[in-house]
Amino acid sequence: MRRTVSTVSRVRRALTRVVLSLPVWPTWSRAADFGFRPPRDPDDPAAAELMRDLAERILPVYQDADKDAFLANVTALQIVSGAYRAALDSSRLLRERRQGKPFDALVERATLDGIYARARLLETEERVAFAQAYARAFQELVSPLDNMQAQAVMARLEIPPDVFAQQLRQAFDLWRDKGSLPEADALALVRAWLSYQSRRSFSALLPELFAAENRIRYVAEAGIRIPVRGGVIHATMVRPGRATGALPALLRFTLDPGEDDARRSAARGYVGITAYVRGRTPDGKGAVWPFMHDGEDAVAVIEWITHQPWSDGRVVMLGEGYSGYAAWAAARRRPPALKAIATIAPMAPGIDFPMAGQIFRNAMVRWAQEHALAEPPPGPPSSGSPAGADPDAVWQALDARWYRGNRPYWDIDRVLLGKRSRLIRTWLTHPSHDRYWQKFLPSAEQFARIDIPVLSFAGYFGGDAGALYFHQEHLRNRPQADTTLLLGPYDATTIRRGTAAELRGYAPDPVARIDLPELRYRWIDHVLKGANKPALLLERVNYQVMGADQWRHAPALESPQRTQLRLYLDTSGRDEPRRLLASPAEGGGSARLSVDLADRRDVRMPWADALRVNQLPMRNGIGFVSEPLPEGTEIAGSLRGVFDITPSRQDVDFSVSLYAQTEGGECQLLFEPYDFRASYAGHRVRRRLLRAGERQLLAFTVERFTACRLAAGSRLVLVVGINKRPDRQIDYGSGKDVNSETVADAKWPLRVRWHARSYIEIQTGGS
């Protein structure tokens, strides 16, 4: 029988193998700086030796009272130092210590380090070629893992080297002129170097290793053709290879092959199905007409699933963006086998795409070209980006070409794509939320009949309008609906791909940094397997309070028990920025803004998207600042208001932003800036022109949600602007169809005066 050895003994035995003497279990941590002259670039030939030298100098003095963190960091230091056997032992001890605990990021890192240390050990001691050594090490450490654990490890391995190269370049630039760096930063630098250096050596090996491992674990079927009325749906299927009996299916109905997560669903013990919109194939080819047949086609796929021998007759649809819309399109038809839908930032046609606030975005053309038209991207414009430029630069140059021209928005497809698009033309024909868009969304009666559990995720900085629309309409028409909404400081990218420690200059609170796709799977486990409901999804509405490092849980987005903070726009003063007042300004007056919509000299000026700024972006706008808050205040909800205005034209596209300003003057954006067309404010279906030259009231609701804890002494800052951006439609206020307007319709600057009854309001007080 194998003799039991205590964990502490194993740790001590492993650490004695390190060439340099190490304390075994330090109980304190002391600060230290390490001299370091960064190389020019991660690919500099001198970089490896410089990083090895740094790791060797850290090892003798590194201490940490957290034993697991100590082992994890020591493993990295040992690998970079070349002490592969010691690193392998340290990695093994850490994994043994974590047995019986959640398979978290620490264990994933220990597994990755163990694979790499084992491969290098085989290479150096047994003279095995690295490719063969890494394959052996991968099999030794990954094969014993269960499907979920193996999937997590492979997902981390797939992070490309360029991600870590960028981190290294930034760190090298940061410390280049300092000559030394603190211990914590030195450890982070060693870890980033190990991640980059190791991935450079094994990235090319991963596809074959993953394929071999997945063939053992799963049964996969590609090329599935599912007949539907008037067409065929292409699909792929992955299910656990060792499963016995029928299983529930998780279906994603999409037009983007990049969203294929069938294997991840299979790793959770489900049958994963990825089905593609009519006309699209799994390789991304084939043109589609978005929104047209998705509901009926998704229902046909669900029906097909229920007749398969591996199906237990239960289906949950999951989706993000367009595939999130498809889940709602299917749910409104109520197929019996559909037991729940779980969406992240679902798209709502006519609400947040291809327009938002009834203002068309140029991004719709790029989306259509990439996801619907199945055509090669446009080349760089002759006066824009050079050949070989990244796609973002190409599209920005095309936006600039559009902005400088004198063509109506009807021609946006010709300017950006170089030809007419029937799809774009169709969308432009429907600028209001008319029947064309309404037919793609659940009606009031259909919302009232959706009786399955629904989960939606949304972010304060993008990916929110569609989720908020579906959630509110579902509850409005079915008050007893089993619907759950989660909101936090995420944008359209992080909410789909995972939260990060930094977002556009803002560092989210630690409690906000969660794996949202994983949380969605845990909720599905609750629905289909009877697992405990995730505590984070305690109530119908669950939101993270920025600055408080806390989550709140409430039965509804708005609560009558909470107070409204109402602030009036100062119209009596002359100083900029003006004030936000507790009561209407006395003495009349007005706040004035004038924007020359024909002026294109700002075409090369970038639009800032940082979430934390030292200087407010006041371009084409006017600011209003509140008095310092006498005490800490929590705000949560949507911003509403009334503009008491006199416009010079019959229409205007407003932009509304709200910031929290610290006592030090730094400003934190509270939600993504909201642009809306005044003639559609509060009623998307019918356009109601303004009365040029007359004073009138314009009520509006910002279709955003935010939550933030404001410290005492903080101020709220409102920035109101007039839209004049190269990347969207511009309303010149003539009263004509905005699609037909040109720069010639500007004639003279657009002017707006705000009067004393103008105000904004938002809810305050914690739950």
Side-chain angles (χ1 to χ4, degrees):
M1 177 180 292
R2 184 179 178 183
R3 184 169 59 90
T4 302
V5 182
S6 71
T7 299
V8 173
S9 297
R10 289 196 300 270
V11 170
R12 286 177 177 161
R13 186 178 304 167
L15 296 182
T16 58
R17 295 193 178 102
V18 184
V19 176
L20 300 171
S21 175
L22 289 174
V24 178
W25 288 133
T27 57
W28 74 94
S29 179
R30 62 187 179 87
D33 273 17
F34 296 89
F36 184 65
R37 295 295 182 184
R40 292 170 299 176
D41 187 83
D43 295 323
D44 189 323
E49 189 57 37
L50 286 170
M51 295 306 303
R52 180 188 182 107
D53 174 72
L54 178 63
E56 288 177 344
R57 287 186 287 117
I58 298 172
L59 268 170
V61 296
Y62 171 56
Q63 302 173 358
D64 198 317
D66 185 328
K67 299 175 183 180
D68 289 350
F70 178 71
L71 278 174
N73 288 327
V74 162
T75 302
L77 292 168
Q78 290 166 337
I79 294 175
V80 176
S81 298
Y84 300 126
R85 183 171 295 279
L88 183 59
D89 287 341
S90 299
S91 168
R92 182 185 300 114
L93 289 171
L94 177 54
R95 284 179 276 121
E96 289 175 356
R97 283 177 53 80
R98 303 293 293 184
Q99 284 183 359
K101 299 179 180 180
F103 196 84
D104 58 12
L106 200 62
V107 188
E108 293 172 15
R109 188 204 300 181
T111 305
L112 266 62
D113 290 346
I115 297 171
Y116 188 68
R118 172 64 171 154
R120 287 302 183 192
L121 188 64
L122 290 170
E123 181 187 38
T124 56
E125 294 192 356
E126 299 186 18
R127 307 298 182 186
V128 177
F130 179 76
Q132 181 182 351
Y134 192 85
R136 279 177 56 183
F138 179 89
Q139 186 176 27
E140 289 173 6
L141 273 71
V142 174
S143 293
L145 303 177
D146 65 31
N147 286 350
M148 286 177 55
Q149 295 168 345
Q151 193 71 23
V153 168
M154 288 190 279
R156 284 181 71 104
L157 285 171
E158 281 186 310
I159 300 174
D162 288 349
V163 172
F164 300 101
Q166 182 63 24
Q167 294 178 9
L168 285 170
R169 290 188 185 96
Q170 292 174 352
F172 288 168
D173 291 342
L174 176 65
W175 300 108
R176 192 174 311 283
D177 298 328
K178 300 183 183 299
S180 67
L181 66 168
E183 182 179 89
D185 297 283
L187 284 170
L189 190 62
V190 169
R191 165 57 58 186
W193 168 257
L194 174 59
S195 298
Y196 174 62
Q197 186 265 346
S198 61
R199 278 166 174 78
R200 283 194 302 176
S201 62
F202 62 62
S203 288
L205 309 174
L206 295 179
E208 185 175 341
L209 292 174
F210 287 1
E213 187 68 27
N214 288 329
R215 281 194 296 269
I216 297 172
R217 294 177 178 273
Y218 307 105
V219 175
E221 184 178 352
I224 299 172
R225 294 170 61 88
I226 303 172
V228 297
R229 187 175 62 179
V232 64
I233 298 298
H234 297 269
T236 60
M237 179 274 293
V238 182
R239 57 188 174 90
R242 299 186 180 97
T244 58
L247 297 172
L250 303 189
L251 168 64
R252 180 186 291 273
F253 194 84
T254 183
L255 43 64
D256 184 2
E259 289 188 354
D260 184 356
D261 54 1
R263 183 166 287 110
R264 184 170 183 179
S265 296
R268 301 287 311 211
Y270 300 103
V271 179
I273 304 289
T274 303
Y276 294 90
V277 172
R278 182 185 302 203
R280 180 57 50 90
T281 54
D283 58 3
K285 297 180 180 179
V288 304
W289 194 275
F291 312 118
M292 192 60 65
H293 302 287
D294 298 332
E296 61 186 274
D297 287 351
V299 169
V301 173
I302 292 171
E303 180 67 16
W304 174 85
I305 290 172
T306 62
H307 289 89
Q308 305 311 303
W310 38 256
S311 169
D312 73 354
R314 295 180 297 163
V315 178
V316 169
M317 287 190 71
L318 45 80
E320 301 154 14
Y322 189 90
S323 54
Y325 156 75
W328 279 100
R332 69 171 177 159
R333 288 166 170 79
R334 302 181 68 233
L338 184 61
K339 302 304 179 183
I341 62 172
T343 67
I344 295 178
M347 184 184 290
I351 304 295
D352 65 348
F353 181 88
M355 75 283 274
Q358 305 314 126
I359 304 171
F360 284 104
R361 271 37 175 192
N362 295 7
M364 69 175 176
V365 180
R366 180 174 181 177
W367 186 92
Q369 183 274 322
E370 293 177 347
H371 298 295
L373 303 179
E375 297 176 350
S382 57
S383 60
S385 304
D390 71 87
D392 288 342
V394 170
W395 285 101
Q396 289 168 8
L398 289 168
D399 285 339
R401 170 189 281 183
W402 148 252
Y403 188 66
R404 288 191 299 261
N406 186 29
R407 301 174 71 172
Y409 206 75
W410 282 117
D411 290 340
I412 191 65
D413 50 353
R414 286 181 170 169
V415 176
L416 301 190
L417 296 176
K419 62 180 180 180
R420 179 67 74 198
S421 165
R422 189 164 66 94
L423 177 62
I424 299 299
R425 186 78 174 186
T426 299
W427 288 347
L428 292 176
T429 306
H430 302 279
S432 69
H433 195 251
D434 59 14
R435 292 183 180 180
Y436 177 81
W437 300 111
Q438 293 172 20
K439 70 183 178 183
F440 299 132
L441 296 168
S443 64
E445 294 77 13
Q446 289 172 329
F447 270 122
R449 292 196 297 269
I450 297 176
D451 58 357
I452 58 175
V454 172
L455 176 68
S456 293
F457 293 165
Y460 301 153
F461 307 113
D464 52 351
L468 291 174
Y469 170 82
F470 285 120
H471 177 80
Q472 291 172 308
E473 288 301 306
H474 193 191
L475 281 178
R476 180 177 291 114
N477 293 284
R478 187 181 179 86
Q480 74 276 26
D482 182 1
T483 182
T484 303
L485 177 66
L486 178 141
L487 305 111
Y490 315 118
D491 66 1
T493 298
T494 56
I495 200 172
R496 292 182 173 95
R497 299 180 182 176
T499 56
E502 190 271 341
L503 174 63
R504 288 156 56 184
Y506 165 68
D509 295 339
V511 298
R513 302 172 197 168
I514 56 177
D515 186 337
L516 295 172
E518 172 62 20
L519 180 64
R520 178 173 59 182
Y521 277 115
R522 289 173 53 206
W523 180 84
I524 293 172
D525 289 345
H526 163 69
V527 172
L528 293 179
K529 299 180 179 179
N532 292 332
K533 188 175 184 178
L536 202 57
L537 303 176
L538 182 66
E539 269 280 11
R540 275 182 170 171
V541 177
N542 311 274
Y543 57 91
Q544 201 272 312
V545 183
M546 296 183 292
D549 200 26
Q550 293 180 338
W551 285 88
R552 296 277 186 260
H553 311 279
L557 285 168
E558 305 289 342
S559 171
Q561 283 74 41
R562 304 181 71 187
T563 59
Q564 293 283 351
L565 174 63
R566 177 175 291 189
L567 297 169
Y568 289 85
L569 278 59
D570 177 21
T571 58
S572 60
R574 294 180 178 272
D575 296 334
E576 295 289 345
R578 293 171 177 264
R579 295 179 298 163
L580 286 173
L581 307 171
S583 58
E586 298 180 358
S590 62
R592 303 174 181 235
L593 179 62
S594 176
V595 176
D596 185 354
L597 297 177
D599 186 354
R600 295 295 192 261
R601 289 174 296 177
D602 60 350
V603 65
R604 296 189 181 277
M605 294 175 57
W607 285 86
D609 68 348
L611 302 183
R612 293 187 75 90
V613 295
N614 292 318
Q615 184 174 359
L616 287 170
M618 301 294 293
R619 188 168 163 191
N620 302 327
I622 183 172
F624 301 85
V625 182
S626 75
E627 295 297 321
L629 296 171
E631 58 185 7
T633 303
E634 187 173 306
I635 61 171
S638 296
L639 187 72
R640 293 185 174 86
V642 171
F643 284 164
D644 178 7
I645 57 173
T646 300
S648 66
R649 309 299 300 273
Q650 295 183 75
D651 208 353
V652 56
D653 288 352
F654 286 113
S655 176
V656 177
S657 303
L658 190 66
Y659 292 83
Q661 186 180 55
T662 67
E663 287 187 284
E666 188 177 39
C667 292
Q668 164 71 52
L669 186 66
L670 296 179
F671 54 76
E672 191 74 1
Y674 181 66
D675 300 344
F676 68 96
R677 182 154 294 156
S679 57
Y680 285 107
H683 39 80
R684 295 187 180 93
V685 177
R686 189 175 64 183
R687 188 182 188 197
R688 299 174 183 173
L689 294 173
L690 304 179
R691 302 183 303 278
E694 296 183 22
R695 186 172 174 176
Q696 57 214 279
L697 297 179
L698 182 73
F700 65 92
T701 298
V702 170
E703 295 176 325
R704 303 279 190 270
F705 184 96
T706 192
C708 186
R709 176 71 179 177
L710 308 176
S714 299
R715 302 171 186 259
L716 284 173
V717 183
L718 174 72
V719 178
V720 182
I722 293 175
N723 168 54
K724 186 173 78 80
R725 291 182 53 136
D727 59 354
R728 60 199 59 181
Q729 187 185 45
I730 296 175
D731 185 347
Y732 294 95
S734 69
K736 300 186 299 185
D737 178 1
V738 181
N739 288 318
S740 65
E741 291 182 319
T742 68
V743 174
D745 289 295
K747 294 183 180 178
W748 53 81
L750 172 62
R751 298 181 176 88
V752 178
R753 289 186 291 160
W754 282 265
H755 304 288
R757 287 182 293 174
S758 299
Y759 69 84
I760 58 166
E761 61 182 15
I762 193 169
Q763 286 193 333
T764 65
S767 299

